[in-house]
Amino acid sequence: MAQAQVIKMYNGFYYLQTGREGDELLSCRLRGRIKRHKGAVVPGDYVEYELLEDGTGVIESCLPRKSLLLRPAVANIDQVIVTFAARQPDLNELLLNRFLVLAEWSGIPEIVICINKCDLLPEAAQENFLQAYREAGYRLLLVSAHEKQGIDGLRAQLSGKVTVFAGPSGVGKSSLLNAIDERLQLATGKISDKIKRGKHTTRAACLLPLAGGGTVVDTPGFSAAELEQLDKGKLAWYFPEFRQYIEKCYYNTCTHSHEPDCAVKEAVEAGGICRERYEAYLNILQAINERKKAY
């Protein structure tokens, strides 16, 4: 039985990179016993397959994963580039925080924040832009696909790694990838004047090799990152700057919302934790609680 990596999936077919002549992808279906399990195979997975007489294949099993981004579902990645725009559409910090928590929850080894269209920010504002995220330990890249600003630094960040770009529609993920490697020629879209959001130009997650080394995953954009399935007791650990305070709370089961003698809340008041980040934490915690009440 042969092994290969799933490069993309579309309309129930899984396309494997098998090293065949011409880099042609092998079209496969899932074996019935695997098909019954939702998310059993996603792009990035390494699988075992059998070649059929008609030139297609059937996937028999999925090999163990080293990581799994939950939404969009991609396996075996080294880092996630959480991508937003500085303007057009305006940056939604609550949504940015939800994507960061999603990446932390998924156990991705490295998380980087990339802000496209930084040329639309006043130059004086760029140095301290999103300073709270830098202080939380995230690497922040300010780039512009249109002006080719910061592209060399972003390209270097991707070299030798399997990277997923994740973020809402219209922030320029496909434009950035085209600027990094012009061979990709990914479709791009414009921001809607009516709803001030982008259109989904990427239809399905797909692994793309880069000329300078490394692999990127172009993914569909999302307007929301669903986190209601997360264990609320672990939520605070997905905010890196909270971690040094969590075990100093008086109550072991502290949710850092209403309890007295909470070290996290004290850190917010003292300026050790950014208030906007703390409020984002409370917003996600409320969403988790409301979902649990609904069931």
Side-chain angles (χ1 to χ4, degrees), residues 226-287:
E226 302 301 331
L227 296 170
E228 286 76 10
Q229 302 292 340
L230 193 151
D231 180 352
K232 69 177 183 180
K234 297 179 180 179
L235 175 60
W237 291 98
Y238 302 134
F239 286 75
E241 67 271 43
F242 287 21
R243 294 170 188 163
Q244 62 180 306
Y245 303 107
I246 292 173
E247 294 184 345
K248 297 178 181 178
C249 294
Y250 182 81
Y251 296 101
N252 292 334
T253 57
C254 186
T255 64
H256 321 295
S257 58
H258 62 278
E259 298 90 346
D261 299 319
C262 171
V264 170
K265 291 195 298 181
E266 290 171 0
V268 174
E269 294 302 321
I273 292 176
C274 172
R275 186 171 297 277
E276 287 73 19
R277 284 274 287 168
Y278 175 66
E279 289 175 353
Y281 164 81
L282 293 179
N283 182 282
I284 298 171
L285 180 64
Q286 181 181 358

Side-chain angles (χ1 to χ4, degrees), residues 22 56 58 77 87-88 106 138 142 147 171 197 227 247 261 267 286 288:
T56 65
V58 59
I77 60 177
R87 297 283 187 272
Q88 299 179 9
S106 300
Y138 293 111
L142 298 181
E147 299 295 331
V171 300
R197 293 200 303 269
L227 296 170
E247 294 184 345
D261 299 319
Q286 181 181 358
I288 295 171

Side-chain angles (χ1 to χ4, degrees), residues 10 22 67 70 103 163 204 208:
Y10 186 70
S67 63
L70 302 174
T163 304
L208 306 169

Side-chain angles (χ1 to χ4, degrees), residues 7 14 19 25-26 36 47 59 67 69 72 80 133 139 155 161-162 173 191 199 205 239 256 269 283 289 291:
I7 300 302
Y14 297 76
L25 298 180
L26 175 65
R36 291 192 290 270
V47 298
I59 294 174
S67 63
L69 183 64
V80 58
Y133 298 85
R139 184 175 184 189
R155 186 183 292 114
K161 300 177 181 177
V162 179
K173 296 189 299 296
I191 299 296
K199 296 180 179 179
F239 286 75
H256 321 295
E269 294 302 321
N283 182 282
N289 288 332
R291 182 176 179 85

